[in-house]
Amino acid sequence: MAGGQLPRRIIKETSRLMSEPAPGISAHPSEDNLRYFNVMILGPQQSPYEGGIFKLELFLPEDYPMAAPKVRFLTKIYHPNIDKLGRICLDILKDKWSPALQIRTVLISIQALLSAPNPDDPLAENVARHWKDNEAEAVATAKEWTRMYASQ
Amino acid sequence: MGTPHDCGAYSVERMMEDMYDYDSGYSEGEEEPSSDEAGMDFLDGECTTRTHHAQPTRWLLIDAKKLLQVQEEALASVMAILGCSRSTARSLLMHFRWNTETLFGMMAERGLDDLYRAARITSRSAKTPLAPCDAAELACAACLCDVARPDATQMACGHAFCNDCWRQHLAVQISEGRSRRLVCMGVRCGAVCDEEQVRQLLAGEAALLARYERSLLESYVEDNAMTRWCPSVPHCGNAVRVDGEPHCEPECSCGVRFCFSCTEEPHSPCTCEMWKRWKVKCHDDSETKNWLTANTKACPKCGKPVEKNGGCNLVVCMCGQAFCWLCGESTGREHTWTSISGHSCGRYSEETSARVDEAQRNVKRYTHYHLRREAHMSSQKLEAPVKAKLQASIDKLEKNQSTLKDYSWLSTALEQLFHVRRILGYSYVFAFYMFGNDMFREEVTPAQNALNQNLFEDQQQQLEGEVERLSMMTEMTPDRIMEAEDALRLDVINSTVNIDTRLVRLYELLENDLLGALTLGCHYISPYKGQSQLRSGGGVHGLSTAAVGGSLEFPGLGTGAGPSGDGDPTRPASPPVQAATAAGVARAAARAVPRQTQGLGQGSTGSGHRERAALVPGSPSKRMRHDPR
């Protein structure tokens, strides 16, 4: 794989992301590195994250699309599958990655994860326990964090 | 104490007596047995009731060439029976850890579909019809390009991508060490790619393909419960497969012998768990700490451990601080023999004393068993050059002499000595854990434990006595071997057979009565007399056949090649032998546990046939076979 040359797939994906963005998601490549994307995801409706704007970074590694993109939350978020460093527990970002998936599908999956937290497969132990023990209180905390960190 | 020599036995009283003197092997009133007293009474007919190890463990050495062959055999059998492709067969076999029996068993029970599902051979999306790939062009979902149909590959699951993307995908997967499960690129598909298609795709990438093939080949060893790499360092490249009982100690052609279960050095008769604990114990400082707990107290001022080297309970640390040995509190220096002025702890603490006792006991037990194990191990090391030297002179003699002489009796004896030393060494590790109150506390009552220990130590001592005797006899000069004096030869053979018999008995005791009686959890040891115990193949003459025959055979005996030329086949067995045999049986009947007593053998210079009759500890009919009458 050529080092400097950007694969055609990335170029195609980027242009399609810009021309037909998915609802509630925006992704723009960085100017000095076309493999690095600044991402913003709107908190889904009827979720504790509603009204928040969450910033993420997405990086396409050298092996992309044979290897999964690296995605991380930059905005603090109270979620059982996202830890305090913003790392995301999502199977398609790991062993279930398929080269037929795209940046768009990955970001839609992350948006869906915000709507449906899965405390049984946690990355952040204490948040997950909070979610299981007292969901109402955990949701309240998530709303509080959304208001504090994800509102502009 | 009844036995003449029992320094190997562990007794608390003894340890209390000579806690600072581990050299005193013999207590008063006991005599070291002279070698001509240690006799043989193995002709008591008990050997006919050998019940254990009906099938000796078999193992197969797999070198690089053999690896391909055995793997192909397994693949071929699965392909033939299931009628499937090679890669399906391979995936199935990897899933079933190369155990064809389980694989076919599951197929018979649950059917082919369940079998494939269990091994995740077919894609979850396989039910959906194959993508329409008859079009002239294909939109590759990975690179988002349209490619001509011949430049794309469709896997069995139905997913098609362009060849370039497949190659990149395979390259990433293989370089990340996932050669054995190269899956389709389809979203959440997970079907295993067909080997042949992979080979076609990687045709131009020799290095990747080689890595892929090697990984597939090595799967036979690494994904196989019954196969292990030889643990030699640097690695010799061989593996060993065991058919049947996995508790054995195979020897690789590179000379390394290992325990198949844990791939550590061979440690029978102690179990893998015992050996693991022993190694940890020997390597960490736990016993040092225990000794410190048992024998020292921390100075209340400087905190250094202080050992009381005598005198009263007022102890003075090197730093000058005086303190009370009983409670550890700092005191003044004024004292009488019984009291320290201004200080009265005076309380007797049951708990502290029990803790100290326990710690002291453990340290002593460990030291006892450790020293005795070391003694055997160093003996084995010392005997190795003797063995090599003797073997060299044997080889020379056999080559140079014009008359045909068989010295296999001596080789056999040396080999036996080498192995029995090892077994004896490890038997002390076994004893440390078996009779300590740590490992099996919940399963064996103290009374039963004491009984077991007596039984074990009795047999161990008899074996040790015999081993020392044989060791002494083999330390002889080459000219004595050349003469091969009848008496000496007879003695060596007798001793070898005797050791064999005692080893069989010791293992019977270990496996059936000691470990076999435990109910919580299973404890296995590598049995004596598997082929594993001795070198396979032609390395050893007599002993390797013993695994099958059940008793030692001495090819050198029947030939009548002794210097006195006493090989007359018509001469009947002489009466003294039979008398001694009868005496042996009578003695055995009189005793529950046979002891080392004066036996026959020494001084008997009869015919080869008589020796043979006396030596085979088998059934009467077996003796009859060699009896010319």
Side-chain angles (χ1 to χ4, degrees):
Chain A
M1 210 177 288
Q5 189 86 37
L6 206 61
R8 274 188 54 198
R9 155 151 176 173
I10 297 183
I11 298 168
K12 278 191 178 176
E13 270 199 77
T14 310
S15 62
R16 208 175 295 171
L17 271 172
M18 312 286 268
S19 58
E20 322 157 24
I25 295 172
S26 83
H28 296 276
S30 152
E31 272 173 22
D32 34 282
N33 187 349
L34 292 174
R35 288 176 175 271
Y36 184 91
F37 287 74
N38 292 302
V39 180
M40 281 201 279
I41 296 181
L42 296 182
Q45 288 174 354
Q46 274 116 43
S47 81
Y49 312 100
E50 187 176 353
I53 302 168
F54 295 89
K55 282 188 184 155
L56 295 90
E57 60 179 5
L58 182 147
F59 181 73
L60 303 176
E62 182 71 12
D63 284 335
Y64 183 84
M66 300 311 152
K70 311 235 175 293
V71 195
R72 188 170 81 91
F73 270 84
L74 295 173
T75 308
K76 259 179 92 114
I77 181 166
Y78 197 76
H79 190 287
N81 308 104
I82 300 164
D83 73 358
K84 60 180 178 188
L85 295 177
R87 293 175 300 193
I88 305 162
C89 182
L90 190 63
D91 60 353
I92 58 161
L93 292 178
K94 298 190 191 88
D95 56 316
K96 293 291 191 299
W97 170 254
S98 152
L101 291 166
Q102 298 180 14
I103 300 173
R104 175 194 301 270
T105 42
V106 166
L107 295 179
I108 290 174
S109 296
I110 292 172
Q111 197 181 32
L113 188 67
L114 295 186
S115 295
N118 179 10
D120 291 323
D121 181 23
L123 189 59
E125 279 286 352
N126 50 344
V127 181
R129 207 177 307 119
H130 194 189
W131 224 273
K132 282 175 116 170
D133 293 348
N134 188 347
E135 197 179 326
E137 197 184 286
V139 166
T141 311
K143 278 183 181 162
E144 176 70 11
W145 279 38
T146 305
R147 196 182 54 75
M148 271 164 40
Y149 305 112
S151 304
Q152 283 172 351
Chain B
M1 301 200 184
T3 47
H5 180 121
D6 69 341
C7 74
Y10 179 75
S11 87
V12 176
E13 296 86 353
R14 166 81 58 76
M15 296 314 291
M16 297 314 275
E17 281 164 25
D18 48 22
M19 48 188 294
Y20 298 115
D21 180 15
Y22 288 110
D23 295 333
S24 65
Y26 301 101
S27 307
E28 284 175 76
E30 292 179 345
E31 280 176 19
E32 184 172 8
S34 56
S35 63
D36 58 348
E37 230 177 41
M40 20 225 88
D41 56 351
F42 56 86
L43 290 168
D44 48 24
E46 287 183 2
C47 305
T48 52
T49 57
R50 286 181 194 178
T51 51
H52 68 321
H53 326 317
Q55 297 112 12
T57 307
R58 292 179 40 203
W59 44 272
L60 174 77
L61 192 69
I62 303 175
D63 57 14
K65 240 182 250 165
K66 190 93 182 159
L67 184 55
L68 189 65
Q69 187 197 327
V70 288
Q71 191 170 23
E72 285 304 315
E73 279 167 16
L75 283 172
S77 72
V78 172
M79 283 159 70
I81 291 175
L82 268 64
C84 61
S85 73
R86 178 177 298 268
S87 46
T88 307
R90 195 189 299 276
S91 301
L92 280 172
L93 278 165
M94 280 185 207
H95 181 77
F96 287 95
R97 313 214 11 106
W98 293 91
N99 188 332
T100 43
E101 278 170 37
T102 356
L103 195 160
F104 293 142
M106 172 141 181
M107 186 183 76
E109 262 174 44
R110 312 256 301 268
L112 213 51
D113 285 349
D114 269 10
L115 188 72
Y116 283 163
R117 208 167 299 134
R120 290 186 295 151
I121 303 282
T122 40
S123 160
R124 262 174 271 173
S125 57
K127 285 182 193 111
T128 58
L130 296 187
C133 277
D134 40 1
E137 286 204 332
L138 174 100
C140 174
C143 62
L144 309 178
C145 298
D146 290 336
V147 290
R149 190 64 191 87
D151 293 332
T153 300
Q154 185 179 29
M155 289 289 163
C157 56
H159 292 109
F161 295 89
C162 77
N163 288 348
D164 276 345
C165 287
W166 275 121
R167 265 192 285 277
Q168 282 175 29
H169 169 70
L170 294 175
V172 168
Q173 297 296 308
I174 290 171
S175 58
E176 284 179 6
R178 284 195 284 266
S179 298
R180 287 175 206 163
R181 200 171 176 84
L182 293 176
V183 292
C184 169
M185 285 196 284
V187 178
R188 297 190 185 272
C189 173
V192 177
C193 298
D194 182 77
E195 276 173 46
E196 275 316 308
Q197 285 182 299
V198 171
R199 285 196 186 101
Q200 278 168 22
L201 285 165
L202 294 180
E205 321 246 358
L208 269 182
L209 197 59
R211 190 167 168 184
Y212 172 68
E213 300 283 7
R214 198 176 62 235
S215 175
L216 288 191
L217 194 62
E218 288 174 353
S219 151
Y220 185 83
V221 177
E222 285 161 20
D223 298 333
N224 189 335
M226 300 310 273
T227 308
R228 298 251 196 288
W229 290 116
C230 164
S232 54
V233 179
H235 183 45
C236 63
N238 296 338
V240 169
R241 187 181 82 195
V242 163
D243 297 325
E245 181 57 45
H247 297 277
C248 63
E249 296 175 346
E251 180 174 314
C252 179
S253 59
C254 70
V256 166
R257 257 185 73 179
F258 60 100
C259 168
F260 187 80
S261 305
C262 65
T263 67
E264 289 289 338
E265 61 177 280
H267 51 67
S268 178
C270 73
T271 66
C272 294
E273 178 61 25
M274 288 172 175
W275 181 239
K276 206 172 102 193
R277 291 193 189 192
W278 182 263
K279 265 197 345 191
V280 171
K281 209 172 181 58
C282 288
H283 283 110
D284 71 8
D285 266 350
S286 64
E287 286 308 326
T288 311
K289 283 192 202 92
N290 283 349
W291 189 88
L292 288 174
T293 323
N295 298 294
T296 69
K297 276 207 168 67
C299 164
K301 186 180 173 198
C302 68
K304 283 203 187 79
V306 177
E307 184 188 9
K308 183 163 118 115
N309 56 2
C312 72
N313 283 327
L314 179 100
V315 180
V316 182
C317 174
M318 290 210 316
C319 73
Q321 173 67 47
F323 64 97
C324 167
W325 182 254
L326 290 178
C327 66
E329 291 293 316
S330 54
T331 62
R333 287 177 170 240
E334 293 295 311
H335 71 290
T336 65
W337 185 254
T338 48
S339 70
I340 301 166
S341 70
H343 175 82
S344 78
C345 57
R347 285 185 308 275
Y348 175 72
S349 160
E350 188 79 49
E351 192 200 342
T352 325
S353 144
R355 186 169 50 80
V356 170
D357 282 354
E358 177 76 13
Q360 276 178 347
R361 203 179 77 90
N362 281 339
V363 175
K364 280 174 205 149
R365 282 193 79 241
Y366 173 72
T367 319
H368 173 94
Y369 287 111
H370 186 76
L371 285 177
R372 272 153 191 81
R373 182 184 132 73
E374 286 305 306
H376 279 292
M377 289 318 186
S378 64
S379 293
Q380 192 188 29
K381 276 200 195 93
L382 290 175
E383 279 160 9
V386 175
K387 183 183 159 196
K389 218 168 82 189
L390 269 181
Q391 194 62 53
S393 34
I394 289 170
D395 292 347
K396 218 167 94 189
L397 281 172
E398 279 182 337
K399 214 181 264 176
N400 295 348
Q401 275 187 340
S402 49
T403 52
L404 189 68
K405 271 194 190 176
D406 191 341
Y407 290 101
S408 60
W409 55 275
L410 190 54
S411 323
T412 309
L414 292 170
E415 195 71 20
Q416 175 79 300
L417 191 60
F418 183 76
H419 284 290
V420 74
R421 280 282 185 211
R422 209 181 48 74
I423 292 174
L424 272 174
Y426 289 98
S427 76
Y428 280 102
V429 180
F430 173 87
F432 177 77
Y433 287 109
M434 188 72 223
F435 308 118
N437 56 1
D438 189 26
M439 246 176 128
F440 306 112
R441 191 186 310 209
E442 280 148 29
E443 292 183 76
V444 187
T445 61
Q448 183 64 45
N449 198 36
L451 195 69
N452 287 349
Q453 188 172 356
N454 275 338
L455 271 172
F456 173 81
E457 284 173 355
D458 204 23
Q459 297 208 14
Q460 197 187 29
Q461 281 155 30
Q462 291 176 31
L463 182 60
E464 278 186 332
E466 196 57 51
V467 167
E468 293 309 330
R469 218 169 73 81
L470 182 62
S471 174
M472 206 180 64
M473 284 189 287
T474 53
E475 284 173 16
M476 52 179 156
T477 49
D479 53 314
R480 278 191 80 196
I481 319 168
M482 197 148 62
E483 289 165 22
E485 301 158 31
D486 253 6
L488 178 69
R489 182 163 61 116
L490 184 57
D491 243 8
V492 167
I493 292 169
N494 251 340
S495 184
T496 313
V497 174
N498 212 354
I499 287 173
D500 177 60
T501 314
R502 294 201 190 285
L503 274 175
V504 170
R505 280 202 205 131
L506 183 70
Y507 268 78
E508 261 171 9
L509 176 78
L510 294 184
E511 295 184 320
N512 301 341
D513 301 335
L514 300 182
L515 293 174
L518 299 170
T519 46
L520 304 171
C522 293
H523 307 273
Y524 295 107
I525 55 176
S526 173
Y528 176 62
K529 285 284 157 162
Q531 260 179 332
S532 56
Q533 209 67 35
L534 296 159
R535 207 179 290 268
S536 68
V540 182
H541 312 287
L543 288 175
S544 51
T545 57
V548 184
S551 69
L552 289 162
E553 298 279 342
F554 285 88
L557 274 170
T559 59
S564 50
D566 50 358
D568 185 2
T570 57
R571 214 199 289 178
S574 60
V577 172
Q578 288 184 332
T581 310
V585 174
R587 273 202 305 275
R591 286 189 309 265
V593 180
R595 291 197 185 285
Q596 249 177 296
T597 53
Q598 184 160 7
L600 74 159
Q602 74 282 356
S604 164
T605 51
S607 71
H609 288 280
R610 201 195 313 151
E611 292 162 23
R612 180 128 188 187
L615 282 164
V616 176
S619 61
S621 65
K622 192 148 193 172
R623 283 204 295 278
M624 288 303 285
R625 190 158 59 86
H626 303 295
D627 196 326
R629 283 173 305 171

